[in-house]
Amino acid sequence: MEKFANKVQEEIESIDREYLRKIQGDMFRCNAKCCDNPNTSQVDMERCLETCSHPAVKAQQFMNQQMQEIQDRVQRCLMGCADEVKDKTTFNRAEDLVNSVEMKKCSAKCEDEMLKILPNYTKKMREWLSKGYNMQ
């Protein structure tokens, strides 16, 4: 699963550079404007800061949700592999070695499957971030 983990990290870093940093930069610039007005009450300033952070919070929640979905799919696939191997276990040392190889093969299939579907997730993330994060 190392290849998949590296690909996920690469995609997240790309999305961070393409979208998330701009969203955070917008939030910080907006926050600065909230603090620049000395005539604003503390309550109004806090409300302004909260409004400024809303798109960044939504973007982070969305990204967390997508990452959780990816992790859940990987986990379900690997659990299926473990179940298949467990069903074959007979407490025979030679078979245990075979089952270990089977687990590795099945895990590799999971990784291949996840590498195939990862672009669907990253496309969805990019589309949402390019359109959706401004919705308040």
Side-chain angles (χ1 to χ4, degrees):
M1 284 299 210
E2 187 177 342
K3 185 168 44 170
F4 177 70
N6 290 340
K7 184 65 176 169
V8 168
Q9 186 62 38
E10 177 185 311
E11 289 293 333
I12 294 303
E13 286 176 10
S14 176
I15 289 170
D16 178 59
R17 285 189 299 276
E18 292 173 44
Y19 299 99
L20 298 176
R21 289 184 192 185
K22 181 189 179 319
I23 295 168
Q24 289 181 329
D26 291 346
M27 177 190 71
F28 289 124
R29 285 184 286 280
C30 182
N31 284 343
K33 288 179 186 176
C34 294
C35 297
D36 284 345
N37 186 349
N39 297 322
T40 303
S41 71
Q42 181 180 6
V43 171
D44 286 343
M45 186 185 72
E46 287 174 5
R47 190 174 305 128
C48 181
L49 294 172
E50 186 176 317
T51 300
C52 291
S53 67
H54 187 73
V57 169
K58 283 182 62 177
Q60 190 59 55
Q61 288 171 340
F62 176 76
M63 292 298 293
N64 289 345
Q65 175 190 16
Q66 295 304 300
M67 293 306 300
Q68 186 62 52
E69 283 183 29
I70 291 169
Q71 285 180 321
D72 290 348
R73 287 187 76 156
V74 168
Q75 200 167 25
R76 283 193 304 270
C77 190
L78 292 174
M79 286 173 64
C81 292
D83 287 343
E84 283 180 35
V85 169
K86 186 177 179 183
D87 291 344
K88 295 176 183 178
T89 301
T90 61
F91 302 107
N92 176 334
R93 274 244 190 257
E95 280 190 28
D96 287 348
L97 291 173
V98 169
N99 289 341
S100 175
V101 170
E102 289 296 318
M103 184 67 184
K104 287 178 184 174
K105 285 181 186 176
C106 189
S107 296
K109 285 182 188 176
C110 289
E111 182 174 48
D112 290 343
E113 286 177 33
M114 292 308 299
L115 284 167
K116 286 179 189 171
I117 65 166
L118 183 61
N120 298 337
Y121 278 97
T122 56
K123 179 182 178 191
K124 186 175 169 181
M125 291 174 193
R126 284 181 168 90
E127 286 175 357
W128 189 90
L129 290 166
S130 68
K131 297 175 191 170
Y133 86 87
N134 276 323
M135 293 188 290
Q136 304 246 352

